[in-house]
Each structure stands twice: as structure tokens, then as C-alpha cells.
Amino acid sequence: RNVLPTTNPSRGLFLFLLFNLAIAMSKFATTSLRNIRFTKSNDPPIHASHRGGGMDFGKENTMQTYRRAIIEAETQILEVDLHLTKDRVILLNHDPSLSNGMNIRRSTFEEIRKAELAANGNQLHLVAPTLMEVLDEFVDHQDLVYFFDMKSIDAVQPAIDVILERNLASRIIFGAVDPNVNEEVLPLAHSLEIPVAADFSTMQNLYMQFLTNQLDPSKIQHDILGFIADPVMMSFLQPKILETFHQAGKWIAVFGAETNTKDGIENLMKFG
């Protein structure tokens, strides 16, 4: 697949490098994400769109960018950020507050939608959508996998309820940057055999354990381990740690500046 480049590294396309010769042995390989073909190390990576594909696709986390990511880029994974409104509607937006300053958690969905439509010329495709709106919009895309980045601990159980209601467990990845939210997600997701991506704090700890020869791969609870692929990180990241994670049956997610160019992507693939 073509990976569409973006000029904004922090908002660019995720590039998931799921290169693991032993992935077929993973407990999730046959029960979860069954629509993704897990590949050997010499095959193309899996493509995912972070916040709908970045600013080059339009206003991030809107139906506009989601449509372009799915239809134009043919993305395999759509990463969305989940918050819960005051009246318990799951809204997709990266930050806890909207661009107009409204705090999602302290506002009702009706208040948010009314204000956003007024600010965007009544163009529905430019406002923060609800999770249900997105699921309805792409209901025919049965091969699409969703990465739920949980921004609010309050949204965890409602998200689980939607997954069960719509029978989506085989098409979901969970993640959360906040370690407290991630800790809440982990057992609930694993009870449904949904893979979970590690938070930044966990990745720091794993890397320090590796450097000090204290890493026990069998004790890693998360299923997907992520790296920010920027020049600084790549300057001291060791291929051996990727090999260790692969051998433990873990998937590797890579995002950042190095995934935004053809040369960067090729270098990452060579790196492992």
C-alpha cells in the first residue's frame, strides 16, 4: 500500500510494523484482528492512520479526515481518541478541550455540537464526531480495524459496552498514553481477547530493563510495544531490543517523523 506522507511529524500517519515470525503462535493471532494479515519480516508493514491521517488530510479527528484515510489511503487501522461528555456520549477528539475551549467532560453533547457547527459553518464533516457516528459511517468496511486511544478513564466501560453491542472485539486495539487509564483498560481488554498497546511510561521502563539486562519478556503484559521514530530515538535504539520483543510474540508500532517519508519507512523496515 502507498503510505501518504505528511509534513507534520507529531500528527502524521502511524506506521505499524508488525514483523514477527512467530506471530501465528500468539494467542491473539487467530481470535483478534483477524482481518489483518500478519506478516513475516520481509513483507510490507501494516498501515494505520493517526488522528485520521494528520493535518495534510484536513482537520484531524473529523469525518473529513477519516473518509480520506479509509478511501484514499486505504488505511487498515483507524486510530481515534475517545472522550466522554457530561451526558456520557463518546466523542472523538485528541485533547480534553475543543478548539473553542469547551471542556468535553464538562459539556453535554448537544452543547458541543451546537457550538462546533456554529464555528464551522454548519459543516458536519468538520466537527468532532461521536464514536457511534463513525461506526455507522464505515459499517460496510468490515476489514477496518479501530485503534481506541483512551483519553478518559470514564470512557473505558462505555467503549467496552459499544464493542460488545456491535460485536467488534476482533477489530479493536486498545491503548492509552496515561498509565492509569492504560492499567484500567488492560484487564478488561484482555478478558475480551483485545490486544493493548503499552503506554509511554511502560516503554521507558522496558527499555531501561533491557539496557540493564533485567528484562524478562515473559512478564510483559502488553501486546503492542511502540516507539517514536525520530532521529534522536533512532540514534540509540538497538535492533536487539526489537528482536527480543518479536521473539516474545509482541507487535511493534512505530510512529513519528521517520514514518513520514519513503526513505524513512524503508530504513525502519531494514532496521527490523
Side-chain angles (χ1 to χ4, degrees):
R1 296 179 183 275
N2 293 323
V3 177
L4 303 184
T6 176
T7 56
N8 189 326
S10 67
R11 296 177 175 177
L13 298 177
F14 262 163
L15 182 65
F16 277 74
L17 308 181
L18 309 182
F19 295 159
N20 184 0
L21 294 176
I23 195 64
M25 302 302 292
S26 168
K27 66 179 179 178
F28 291 109
T30 56
T31 59
S32 194
L33 303 177
R34 59 172 175 258
N35 297 305
I36 287 182
R37 179 177 60 87
F38 292 100
T39 61
K40 294 185 177 181
S41 58
N42 60 342
D43 286 338
I46 286 169
H47 177 286
S49 294
H50 185 220
R51 305 193 203 178
M55 292 300 289
D56 284 357
F57 271 11
K59 188 178 179 182
E60 66 178 33
N61 270 324
T62 62
M63 205 68 81
Q64 177 190 58
T65 53
Y66 295 157
R67 287 170 182 156
R68 293 195 65 187
I70 292 167
I71 296 169
E72 295 181 32
E74 299 181 1
T75 197
Q76 294 158 286
I77 303 175
L78 188 69
E79 192 262 5
V80 294
D81 303 298
L82 278 64
H83 290 273
L84 198 67
T85 66
K86 184 178 179 180
D87 52 345
R88 302 188 65 77
V89 174
I90 300 177
L91 197 71
L92 307 183
N93 194 69
H94 183 267
D95 297 331
S97 296
L98 301 166
S99 57
N100 60 11
M102 292 184 72
N103 183 281
I104 297 173
R105 188 177 182 183
R106 297 172 186 166
S107 306
T108 67
F109 170 67
E110 183 178 357
E111 292 169 340
I112 291 171
R113 180 56 55 90
K114 182 178 179 180
E116 281 222 293
L117 284 174
N120 289 278
N122 284 320
Q123 298 184 77
L124 190 61
H125 66 287
L126 295 179
V127 303
T130 69
L131 177 60
M132 301 302 278
E133 286 174 333
V134 170
L135 294 178
D136 287 340
E137 173 78 13
F138 304 115
V139 67
D140 294 331
H141 294 262
Q142 294 297 312
D143 290 340
L144 181 65
V145 170
Y146 293 94
F147 187 116
F148 284 2
D149 189 348
M150 306 304 300
K151 299 299 185 183
S152 165
I153 199 166
D154 297 336
V156 173
Q157 189 56 54
I160 293 288
D161 294 341
V162 171
I163 291 168
L164 293 174
E165 177 185 331
R166 299 225 174 187
N167 194 27
L168 290 173
S170 65
R171 296 171 52 199
I172 301 295
I173 298 171
F174 266 118
V177 175
D178 186 325
N180 294 322
V181 179
N182 202 297
E183 186 178 1
E184 179 84 7
V185 166
L186 196 60
L188 292 172
H190 280 179
S191 70
L192 299 174
E193 297 188 314
I194 295 175
V196 181
D199 56 88
F200 184 70
S201 177
T202 295
M203 288 307 306
Q204 282 185 313
N205 291 335
L206 290 176
Y207 196 70
M208 290 305 300
Q209 291 172 23
F210 173 80
L211 292 177
T212 56
N213 294 316
Q214 297 179 16
L215 178 63
D216 182 352
S218 67
K219 293 184 179 180
I220 300 175
Q221 293 183 292
H222 293 86
D223 314 289
I224 301 173
L225 307 175
F227 295 95
I228 300 175
D230 58 27
V232 175
M233 183 68 182
M234 297 302 295
S235 68
F236 64 84
L237 183 62
Q238 301 178 29
K240 181 65 177 177
I241 191 171
L242 299 181
E243 180 183 343
T244 299
F245 290 154
H246 287 157
Q247 290 175 349
K250 306 301 178 181
W251 313 333
I252 307 298
V254 183
F255 62 100
E258 293 298 300
T259 69
N260 292 333
T261 66
K262 183 175 182 292
D263 288 343
I265 292 166
E266 290 178 346
N267 288 336
L268 287 167
M269 293 172 71
K270 292 175 183 177
F271 195 78

PDB file of all heavy atoms in Angstrom, residues 21-48:
ATOM      1  N   LEU A  21       8.034 -13.427  13.120  1.00  0.00           N
ATOM      2  CA  LEU A  21       7.956 -14.744  12.504  1.00  0.00           C
ATOM      3  C   LEU A  21       7.096 -15.707  13.297  1.00  0.00           C
ATOM      4  O   LEU A  21       6.549 -16.658  12.759  1.00  0.00           O
ATOM      5  CB  LEU A  21       9.377 -15.323  12.361  1.00  0.00           C
ATOM      6  CG  LEU A  21      10.290 -14.575  11.399  1.00  0.00           C
ATOM      7  CD1 LEU A  21      11.681 -15.182  11.423  1.00  0.00           C
ATOM      8  CD2 LEU A  21       9.730 -14.604  10.003  1.00  0.00           C
ATOM      9  N   ALA A  22       6.960 -15.455  14.599  1.00  0.00           N
ATOM     10  CA  ALA A  22       6.211 -16.375  15.452  1.00  0.00           C
ATOM     11  C   ALA A  22       4.824 -15.867  15.775  1.00  0.00           C
ATOM     12  O   ALA A  22       4.170 -16.379  16.674  1.00  0.00           O
ATOM     13  CB  ALA A  22       6.980 -16.609  16.754  1.00  0.00           C
ATOM     14  N   ILE A  23       4.325 -14.893  15.011  1.00  0.00           N
ATOM     15  CA  ILE A  23       3.061 -14.268  15.371  1.00  0.00           C
ATOM     16  C   ILE A  23       1.895 -15.255  15.331  1.00  0.00           C
ATOM     17  O   ILE A  23       0.916 -15.117  16.051  1.00  0.00           O
ATOM     18  CB  ILE A  23       2.776 -13.062  14.448  1.00  0.00           C
ATOM     19  CG1 ILE A  23       1.667 -12.186  15.049  1.00  0.00           C
ATOM     20  CG2 ILE A  23       2.408 -13.502  13.053  1.00  0.00           C
ATOM     21  CD1 ILE A  23       2.015 -11.544  16.333  1.00  0.00           C
ATOM     22  N   ALA A  24       2.007 -16.271  14.485  1.00  0.00           N
ATOM     23  CA  ALA A  24       0.921 -17.252  14.401  1.00  0.00           C
ATOM     24  C   ALA A  24       0.739 -18.005  15.707  1.00  0.00           C
ATOM     25  O   ALA A  24      -0.322 -18.583  15.960  1.00  0.00           O
ATOM     26  CB  ALA A  24       1.186 -18.239  13.273  1.00  0.00           C
ATOM     27  N   MET A  25       1.759 -17.961  16.554  1.00  0.00           N
ATOM     28  CA  MET A  25       1.669 -18.638  17.835  1.00  0.00           C
ATOM     29  C   MET A  25       1.022 -17.760  18.894  1.00  0.00           C
ATOM     30  O   MET A  25       0.687 -18.222  19.977  1.00  0.00           O
ATOM     31  CB  MET A  25       3.070 -19.044  18.306  1.00  0.00           C
ATOM     32  CG  MET A  25       3.813 -19.946  17.320  1.00  0.00           C
ATOM     33  SD  MET A  25       2.914 -21.459  16.980  1.00  0.00           S
ATOM     34  CE  MET A  25       3.037 -22.258  18.584  1.00  0.00           C
ATOM     35  N   SER A  26       0.869 -16.478  18.579  1.00  0.00           N
ATOM     36  CA  SER A  26       0.281 -15.558  19.549  1.00  0.00           C
ATOM     37  C   SER A  26      -1.167 -15.903  19.818  1.00  0.00           C
ATOM     38  O   SER A  26      -1.920 -16.276  18.931  1.00  0.00           O
ATOM     39  CB  SER A  26       0.371 -14.117  19.028  1.00  0.00           C
ATOM     40  OG  SER A  26      -0.429 -13.271  19.817  1.00  0.00           O
ATOM     41  N   LYS A  27      -1.602 -15.756  21.060  1.00  0.00           N
ATOM     42  CA  LYS A  27      -2.984 -16.100  21.404  1.00  0.00           C
ATOM     43  C   LYS A  27      -3.988 -15.172  20.745  1.00  0.00           C
ATOM     44  O   LYS A  27      -5.160 -15.502  20.630  1.00  0.00           O
ATOM     45  CB  LYS A  27      -3.170 -16.064  22.920  1.00  0.00           C
ATOM     46  CG  LYS A  27      -3.033 -14.664  23.538  1.00  0.00           C
ATOM     47  CD  LYS A  27      -3.259 -14.726  25.030  1.00  0.00           C
ATOM     48  CE  LYS A  27      -3.117 -13.357  25.673  1.00  0.00           C
ATOM     49  NZ  LYS A  27      -3.373 -13.389  27.121  1.00  0.00           N
ATOM     50  N   PHE A  28      -3.506 -13.997  20.293  1.00  0.00           N
ATOM     51  CA  PHE A  28      -4.419 -13.058  19.654  1.00  0.00           C
ATOM     52  C   PHE A  28      -4.481 -13.245  18.150  1.00  0.00           C
ATOM     53  O   PHE A  28      -5.363 -12.713  17.508  1.00  0.00           O
ATOM     54  CB  PHE A  28      -4.000 -11.613  19.954  1.00  0.00           C
ATOM     55  CG  PHE A  28      -4.199 -11.241  21.384  1.00  0.00           C
ATOM     56  CD1 PHE A  28      -3.123 -11.065  22.215  1.00  0.00           C
ATOM     57  CD2 PHE A  28      -5.469 -11.077  21.898  1.00  0.00           C
ATOM     58  CE1 PHE A  28      -3.300 -10.721  23.541  1.00  0.00           C
ATOM     59  CE2 PHE A  28      -5.662 -10.729  23.224  1.00  0.00           C
ATOM     60  CZ  PHE A  28      -4.574 -10.555  24.047  1.00  0.00           C
ATOM     61  N   ALA A  29      -3.549 -14.008  17.587  1.00  0.00           N
ATOM     62  CA  ALA A  29      -3.430 -14.044  16.133  1.00  0.00           C
ATOM     63  C   ALA A  29      -4.668 -14.624  15.461  1.00  0.00           C
ATOM     64  O   ALA A  29      -5.026 -14.240  14.360  1.00  0.00           O
ATOM     65  CB  ALA A  29      -2.197 -14.843  15.725  1.00  0.00           C
ATOM     66  N   THR A  30      -5.342 -15.567  16.112  1.00  0.00           N
ATOM     67  CA  THR A  30      -6.494 -16.198  15.489  1.00  0.00           C
ATOM     68  C   THR A  30      -7.804 -15.723  16.077  1.00  0.00           C
ATOM     69  O   THR A  30      -8.860 -16.028  15.539  1.00  0.00           O
ATOM     70  CB  THR A  30      -6.413 -17.732  15.659  1.00  0.00           C
ATOM     71  OG1 THR A  30      -6.311 -18.038  17.045  1.00  0.00           O
ATOM     72  CG2 THR A  30      -5.214 -18.293  14.923  1.00  0.00           C
ATOM     73  N   THR A  31      -7.766 -14.984  17.167  1.00  0.00           N
ATOM     74  CA  THR A  31      -9.008 -14.575  17.813  1.00  0.00           C
ATOM     75  C   THR A  31      -9.255 -13.079  17.729  1.00  0.00           C
ATOM     76  O   THR A  31     -10.354 -12.622  17.967  1.00  0.00           O
ATOM     77  CB  THR A  31      -8.988 -14.966  19.300  1.00  0.00           C
ATOM     78  OG1 THR A  31      -7.889 -14.334  19.940  1.00  0.00           O
ATOM     79  CG2 THR A  31      -8.878 -16.461  19.458  1.00  0.00           C
ATOM     80  N   SER A  32      -8.243 -12.307  17.397  1.00  0.00           N
ATOM     81  CA  SER A  32      -8.394 -10.873  17.392  1.00  0.00           C
ATOM     82  C   SER A  32      -7.711 -10.281  16.171  1.00  0.00           C
ATOM     83  O   SER A  32      -6.708 -10.803  15.693  1.00  0.00           O
ATOM     84  CB  SER A  32      -7.791 -10.283  18.663  1.00  0.00           C
ATOM     85  OG  SER A  32      -8.187  -8.955  18.842  1.00  0.00           O
ATOM     86  N   LEU A  33      -8.272  -9.201  15.640  1.00  0.00           N
ATOM     87  CA  LEU A  33      -7.729  -8.562  14.443  1.00  0.00           C
ATOM     88  C   LEU A  33      -7.592  -9.555  13.307  1.00  0.00           C
ATOM     89  O   LEU A  33      -6.626  -9.550  12.566  1.00  0.00           O
ATOM     90  CB  LEU A  33      -6.359  -7.927  14.748  1.00  0.00           C
ATOM     91  CG  LEU A  33      -6.331  -6.916  15.870  1.00  0.00           C
ATOM     92  CD1 LEU A  33      -4.913  -6.427  16.101  1.00  0.00           C
ATOM     93  CD2 LEU A  33      -7.231  -5.746  15.582  1.00  0.00           C
ATOM     94  N   ARG A  34      -8.588 -10.417  13.168  1.00  0.00           N
ATOM     95  CA  ARG A  34      -8.476 -11.498  12.195  1.00  0.00           C
ATOM     96  C   ARG A  34      -8.436 -10.984  10.758  1.00  0.00           C
ATOM     97  O   ARG A  34      -8.054 -11.715   9.851  1.00  0.00           O
ATOM     98  CB  ARG A  34      -9.638 -12.474  12.358  1.00  0.00           C
ATOM     99  CG  ARG A  34     -11.018 -11.849  12.189  1.00  0.00           C
ATOM    100  CD  ARG A  34     -12.103 -12.911  12.172  1.00  0.00           C
ATOM    101  NE  ARG A  34     -13.428 -12.315  12.136  1.00  0.00           N
ATOM    102  CZ  ARG A  34     -14.219 -12.198  13.175  1.00  0.00           C
ATOM    103  NH1 ARG A  34     -13.818 -12.647  14.352  1.00  0.00           N
ATOM    104  NH2 ARG A  34     -15.414 -11.643  13.078  1.00  0.00           N
ATOM    105  N   ASN A  35      -8.840  -9.731  10.535  1.00  0.00           N
ATOM    106  CA  ASN A  35      -8.869  -9.198   9.185  1.00  0.00           C
ATOM    107  C   ASN A  35      -7.517  -8.676   8.717  1.00  0.00           C
ATOM    108  O   ASN A  35      -7.373  -8.316   7.558  1.00  0.00           O
ATOM    109  CB  ASN A  35      -9.900  -8.064   9.103  1.00  0.00           C
ATOM    110  CG  ASN A  35     -11.298  -8.553   9.389  1.00  0.00           C
ATOM    111  OD1 ASN A  35     -11.774  -9.472   8.743  1.00  0.00           O
ATOM    112  ND2 ASN A  35     -11.949  -7.977  10.376  1.00  0.00           N
ATOM    113  N   ILE A  36      -6.547  -8.620   9.638  1.00  0.00           N
ATOM    114  CA  ILE A  36      -5.210  -8.178   9.261  1.00  0.00           C
ATOM    115  C   ILE A  36      -4.334  -9.394   9.018  1.00  0.00           C
ATOM    116  O   ILE A  36      -4.323 -10.331   9.802  1.00  0.00           O
ATOM    117  CB  ILE A  36      -4.589  -7.287  10.357  1.00  0.00           C
ATOM    118  CG1 ILE A  36      -5.268  -5.923  10.349  1.00  0.00           C
ATOM    119  CG2 ILE A  36      -3.096  -7.131  10.140  1.00  0.00           C
ATOM    120  CD1 ILE A  36      -4.710  -4.963  11.356  1.00  0.00           C
ATOM    121  N   ARG A  37      -3.629  -9.356   7.905  1.00  0.00           N
ATOM    122  CA  ARG A  37      -2.739 -10.467   7.579  1.00  0.00           C
ATOM    123  C   ARG A  37      -1.396 -10.223   8.259  1.00  0.00           C
ATOM    124  O   ARG A  37      -0.623  -9.347   7.885  1.00  0.00           O
ATOM    125  CB  ARG A  37      -2.543 -10.549   6.061  1.00  0.00           C
ATOM    126  CG  ARG A  37      -1.596 -11.670   5.619  1.00  0.00           C
ATOM    127  CD  ARG A  37      -1.535 -11.702   4.097  1.00  0.00           C
ATOM    128  NE  ARG A  37      -1.039 -10.441   3.573  1.00  0.00           N
ATOM    129  CZ  ARG A  37       0.252 -10.169   3.410  1.00  0.00           C
ATOM    130  NH1 ARG A  37       1.168 -11.059   3.741  1.00  0.00           N
ATOM    131  NH2 ARG A  37       0.644  -9.003   2.919  1.00  0.00           N
ATOM    132  N   PHE A  38      -1.108 -11.007   9.282  1.00  0.00           N
ATOM    133  CA  PHE A  38       0.155 -10.846   9.983  1.00  0.00           C
ATOM    134  C   PHE A  38       1.283 -11.380   9.104  1.00  0.00           C
ATOM    135  O   PHE A  38       1.180 -12.437   8.499  1.00  0.00           O
ATOM    136  CB  PHE A  38       0.116 -11.574  11.327  1.00  0.00           C
ATOM    137  CG  PHE A  38      -0.824 -10.915  12.268  1.00  0.00           C
ATOM    138  CD1 PHE A  38      -2.096 -11.412  12.464  1.00  0.00           C
ATOM    139  CD2 PHE A  38      -0.474  -9.749  12.911  1.00  0.00           C
ATOM    140  CE1 PHE A  38      -2.982 -10.786  13.314  1.00  0.00           C
ATOM    141  CE2 PHE A  38      -1.354  -9.113  13.760  1.00  0.00           C
ATOM    142  CZ  PHE A  38      -2.609  -9.635  13.962  1.00  0.00           C
ATOM    143  N   THR A  39       2.345 -10.607   9.038  1.00  0.00           N
ATOM    144  CA  THR A  39       3.341 -10.839   8.004  1.00  0.00           C
ATOM    145  C   THR A  39       4.687 -11.256   8.566  1.00  0.00           C
ATOM    146  O   THR A  39       4.980 -11.083   9.739  1.00  0.00           O
ATOM    147  CB  THR A  39       3.552  -9.540   7.200  1.00  0.00           C
ATOM    148  OG1 THR A  39       4.020  -8.524   8.087  1.00  0.00           O
ATOM    149  CG2 THR A  39       2.267  -9.087   6.551  1.00  0.00           C
ATOM    150  N   LYS A  40       5.493 -11.811   7.693  1.00  0.00           N
ATOM    151  CA  LYS A  40       6.874 -12.110   8.040  1.00  0.00           C
ATOM    152  C   LYS A  40       7.722 -10.854   7.871  1.00  0.00           C
ATOM    153  O   LYS A  40       7.300  -9.863   7.305  1.00  0.00           O
ATOM    154  CB  LYS A  40       7.397 -13.239   7.154  1.00  0.00           C
ATOM    155  CG  LYS A  40       6.699 -14.574   7.411  1.00  0.00           C
ATOM    156  CD  LYS A  40       7.329 -15.688   6.595  1.00  0.00           C
ATOM    157  CE  LYS A  40       6.660 -17.020   6.915  1.00  0.00           C
ATOM    158  NZ  LYS A  40       7.263 -18.132   6.159  1.00  0.00           N
ATOM    159  N   SER A  41       8.953 -10.935   8.334  1.00  0.00           N
ATOM    160  CA  SER A  41       9.770  -9.734   8.439  1.00  0.00           C
ATOM    161  C   SER A  41      10.116  -9.112   7.097  1.00  0.00           C
ATOM    162  O   SER A  41      10.542  -7.967   7.044  1.00  0.00           O
ATOM    163  CB  SER A  41      11.056 -10.055   9.208  1.00  0.00           C
ATOM    164  OG  SER A  41      11.767 -11.072   8.555  1.00  0.00           O
ATOM    165  N   ASN A  42       9.978  -9.836   5.993  1.00  0.00           N
ATOM    166  CA  ASN A  42      10.318  -9.259   4.693  1.00  0.00           C
ATOM    167  C   ASN A  42       9.087  -8.773   3.938  1.00  0.00           C
ATOM    168  O   ASN A  42       9.167  -8.441   2.762  1.00  0.00           O
ATOM    169  CB  ASN A  42      11.093 -10.273   3.845  1.00  0.00           C
ATOM    170  CG  ASN A  42      10.283 -11.531   3.591  1.00  0.00           C
ATOM    171  OD1 ASN A  42       9.312 -11.793   4.288  1.00  0.00           O
ATOM    172  ND2 ASN A  42      10.694 -12.315   2.600  1.00  0.00           N
ATOM    173  N   ASP A  43       7.933  -8.738   4.580  1.00  0.00           N
ATOM    174  CA  ASP A  43       6.701  -8.294   3.956  1.00  0.00           C
ATOM    175  C   ASP A  43       6.405  -6.844   4.320  1.00  0.00           C
ATOM    176  O   ASP A  43       6.970  -6.300   5.264  1.00  0.00           O
ATOM    177  CB  ASP A  43       5.532  -9.182   4.395  1.00  0.00           C
ATOM    178  CG  ASP A  43       5.578 -10.542   3.713  1.00  0.00           C
ATOM    179  OD1 ASP A  43       6.218 -10.640   2.654  1.00  0.00           O
ATOM    180  OD2 ASP A  43       4.985 -11.494   4.239  1.00  0.00           O
ATOM    181  N   PRO A  44       5.495  -6.202   3.565  1.00  0.00           N
ATOM    182  CA  PRO A  44       5.175  -4.797   3.867  1.00  0.00           C
ATOM    183  C   PRO A  44       4.575  -4.634   5.251  1.00  0.00           C
ATOM    184  O   PRO A  44       3.949  -5.552   5.784  1.00  0.00           O
ATOM    185  CB  PRO A  44       4.145  -4.438   2.789  1.00  0.00           C
ATOM    186  CG  PRO A  44       4.350  -5.428   1.702  1.00  0.00           C
ATOM    187  CD  PRO A  44       4.777  -6.691   2.388  1.00  0.00           C
ATOM    188  N   PRO A  45       4.735  -3.441   5.830  1.00  0.00           N
ATOM    189  CA  PRO A  45       4.137  -3.171   7.138  1.00  0.00           C
ATOM    190  C   PRO A  45       2.638  -2.962   7.031  1.00  0.00           C
ATOM    191  O   PRO A  45       2.103  -2.803   5.936  1.00  0.00           O
ATOM    192  CB  PRO A  45       4.820  -1.876   7.582  1.00  0.00           C
ATOM    193  CG  PRO A  45       5.158  -1.197   6.287  1.00  0.00           C
ATOM    194  CD  PRO A  45       5.510  -2.300   5.337  1.00  0.00           C
ATOM    195  N   ILE A  46       1.986  -2.959   8.150  1.00  0.00           N
ATOM    196  CA  ILE A  46       0.567  -2.635   8.223  1.00  0.00           C
ATOM    197  C   ILE A  46       0.432  -1.128   8.398  1.00  0.00           C
ATOM    198  O   ILE A  46       1.193  -0.505   9.137  1.00  0.00           O
ATOM    199  CB  ILE A  46      -0.097  -3.412   9.373  1.00  0.00           C
ATOM    200  CG1 ILE A  46      -0.243  -4.885   8.973  1.00  0.00           C
ATOM    201  CG2 ILE A  46      -1.459  -2.831   9.730  1.00  0.00           C
ATOM    202  CD1 ILE A  46      -0.638  -5.783  10.111  1.00  0.00           C
ATOM    203  N   HIS A  47      -0.547  -0.549   7.743  1.00  0.00           N
ATOM    204  CA  HIS A  47      -0.695   0.916   7.681  1.00  0.00           C
ATOM    205  C   HIS A  47      -1.855   1.362   8.559  1.00  0.00           C
ATOM    206  O   HIS A  47      -2.947   0.800   8.494  1.00  0.00           O
ATOM    207  CB  HIS A  47      -0.945   1.289   6.222  1.00  0.00           C
ATOM    208  CG  HIS A  47      -1.200   2.739   5.974  1.00  0.00           C
ATOM    209  ND1 HIS A  47      -2.391   3.355   6.300  1.00  0.00           N
ATOM    210  CD2 HIS A  47      -0.431   3.696   5.412  1.00  0.00           C
ATOM    211  CE1 HIS A  47      -2.327   4.621   5.947  1.00  0.00           C
ATOM    212  NE2 HIS A  47      -1.157   4.858   5.413  1.00  0.00           N
ATOM    213  N   ALA A  48      -1.602   2.361   9.388  1.00  0.00           N
ATOM    214  CA  ALA A  48      -2.661   2.910  10.233  1.00  0.00           C
ATOM    215  C   ALA A  48      -2.625   4.428  10.183  1.00  0.00           C
ATOM    216  O   ALA A  48      -1.575   5.029   9.937  1.00  0.00           O
ATOM    217  CB  ALA A  48      -2.510   2.433  11.667  1.00  0.00           C
TER     218      ALA A  48
END
